[in-house]
Amino acid sequence: MKIVTVDHKKDEKQFLRFRKDLYQRGNAFIDNSCFMIREVFRRHTSFLDGKEIWPLNVIHEGRIVSQGIVVYAKDLPEYIQLCFLESLPDQPEAVQLLADRAAEIGRQKGCRKLVAGLNGHVNYGLGFLCSHYDAANSFSGAANPPYYHTYLKAMDFTEVRMHTYVLHSIDNRLEKYRRVIDRLDRTYTYRTFDKKRFREDAKIYTDLNNKAFSGHRYYYRRTYREDLEMLKELFLFMKEDSLIFAFQGEKPVGFILWYPDFNELAKKGETFGAKHFIKNILFGRRIKTALIMEDGILEENRRSGLALGLIHQVFKILKNYPVTRVETSWVLEENKDSDSFCQAICDSRYKDYVTYEKDI
């Protein structure tokens, strides 16, 4: 068994083929990360800004049995990341080789910790799925078989846990907060993203992210270029009303990002790609699930209840869609404020996720 750096076109094709075959074989999940990895190999993505990467295949008896991409981000210097981990069953030695190589690179870079399950930045993916393996993954949601946890738990990692929440209907549940919502409406104004001022609104989004999530586990500053590129890709699918800003006077103080679960356009085992763009144009109005992916509020405005005001804006918009359920993105268990808010608004906790980290 040997570990090989992916640095030739042939190796890159084999890397992607292994992923595709693994997802098709599992026939439960939709691969939402293949596009990003392909762009990384082409060097066409701002994902590479401020990062060094080492794509790795583990080869045994002439075939790939495990793979991952080691990432060092200069703005997250404490961590070396083992990203986009994939493996065949019964390959603990192969995954151990990947983790050992990542730790070795991390020590050379002066990192103190190795994290598995962070894919370059929280905006590109966080966590391994550890429940509901029989359910299709939502768009951008982690997807993996349960045996990945067997590999990683054997390596003395510490678990960082998170979970999502679900609402089973779009109803009048927020009416009990009507007095608070009316007060918020007198304090704040809201507007959706404006494609006519794409760069300006993308800049507002980046600035709010960097201010609102400062100090959040694994978060580090985004650049305008990164978010401009990400939003351009997302807006190929989503509409302007998917990104809502809150203003206090002229000052942007918060935002919320939601979009339909585009994975409903794909079949299990598929790699999400260009053909789903066409399906979204033709059949996008049939999507029944909305995903609330991200909300950020400046620290000085959090105690006002603005999170409720932003959710209320989403609910008003969703009444224009055939959506029958809502799923949130992951919430860290240690984030007590967000966790408590989701418990109050949502029907129940849904999927569980975990990242693994250890000192090196």
Side-chain angles (χ1 to χ4, degrees), residues 21-280:
D21 290 348
L22 193 64
Y23 276 77
Q24 289 177 338
R25 187 182 302 115
N27 199 31
F29 301 122
I30 298 156
D31 186 358
N32 294 130
S33 296
C34 189
F35 172 81
M36 169 65 71
I37 296 171
R38 190 178 290 116
E39 293 300 290
V40 166
F41 286 156
R42 292 172 179 169
R43 301 295 192 271
H44 286 171
T45 173
S46 59
F47 175 89
L48 297 170
D49 292 353
K51 300 181 184 72
E52 294 180 64
I53 68 164
W54 296 264
L56 303 170
N57 281 328
V58 180
I59 311 295
H60 181 58
E61 296 181 348
R63 65 172 186 148
I64 301 172
V65 295
S66 189
Q67 66 179 205
I69 300 178
V70 176
V71 172
Y72 172 74
K74 67 179 180 61
D75 290 329
L76 193 69
E78 181 180 6
Y79 289 97
I80 193 75
Q81 305 175 43
L82 178 54
C83 309
F84 305 110
L85 174 67
E86 303 289 355
S87 182
L88 295 177
D90 304 314
Q91 295 295 333
E93 182 182 350
V95 177
Q96 182 73 64
L97 278 175
L98 287 170
D100 289 346
R101 178 63 62 86
E104 177 186 351
I105 294 170
R107 286 189 288 268
Q108 292 171 0
K109 292 294 180 182
C111 304
R112 296 196 301 110
K113 296 182 180 233
L114 165 64
V115 58
L118 171 61
N119 291 336
H121 190 280
V122 293
N123 284 21
Y124 301 123
L126 184 70
F128 293 101
L129 179 70
C130 55
S131 75
H132 296 80
Y133 298 105
D134 57 341
N137 55 307
S138 57
F139 187 74
S140 78
N144 54 267
Y147 60 81
Y148 285 20
H149 301 285
T150 303
Y151 298 152
L152 294 164
K153 286 181 178 180
M155 298 182 204
D156 196 31
F157 279 96
T158 298
E159 298 182 9
V160 178
R161 303 190 71 85
M162 62 206 83
H163 39 256
T164 64
Y165 285 87
V166 65
L167 297 83
H168 297 296
S169 63
I170 307 299
D171 52 28
N172 295 321
R173 70 185 66 205
L174 298 185
E175 283 305 307
K176 62 183 176 182
Y177 304 108
R178 172 50 59 186
R179 291 179 63 185
V180 177
I181 290 170
D182 288 344
R183 174 178 55 79
L184 290 167
D185 287 346
R186 292 192 294 270
T187 305
Y188 301 104
T189 57
Y190 307 93
R191 74 164 174 83
T192 60
F193 191 92
D194 185 352
K195 286 185 179 180
K196 293 179 181 178
R197 40 174 294 164
F198 206 109
R199 288 184 176 273
E200 294 90 338
D201 277 9
K203 184 176 182 293
I204 291 173
Y205 171 78
T206 302
D207 288 339
L208 284 171
N209 267 269
N210 288 336
K211 293 173 183 176
F213 298 122
S214 176
H216 189 285
R217 185 187 288 267
Y218 304 133
Y219 185 86
Y220 59 94
R221 290 184 64 81
R222 299 278 289 173
T223 68
Y224 295 137
R225 178 173 179 253
E226 286 174 311
D227 282 340
L228 185 64
E229 181 179 289
M230 184 188 75
L231 289 173
K232 282 182 176 179
E233 291 170 356
L234 283 175
F235 274 112
L236 291 174
F237 288 87
M238 69 185 193
K239 300 185 182 301
E240 290 173 289
D241 59 12
S242 285
L243 180 51
I244 305 165
F245 296 117
F247 292 83
Q248 188 170 24
E250 298 297 317
K251 180 183 177 182
V253 295
F255 75 94
I256 191 164
L257 174 67
W258 76 275
Y259 43 72
D261 184 1
F262 302 115
N263 275 6
E264 290 186 16
L265 302 171
K267 297 177 182 178
K268 292 181 179 181
E270 279 192 337
T271 296
F272 200 91
K275 71 176 182 179
H276 300 104
F277 170 72
I278 304 299
K279 292 186 74 172
N280 185 51

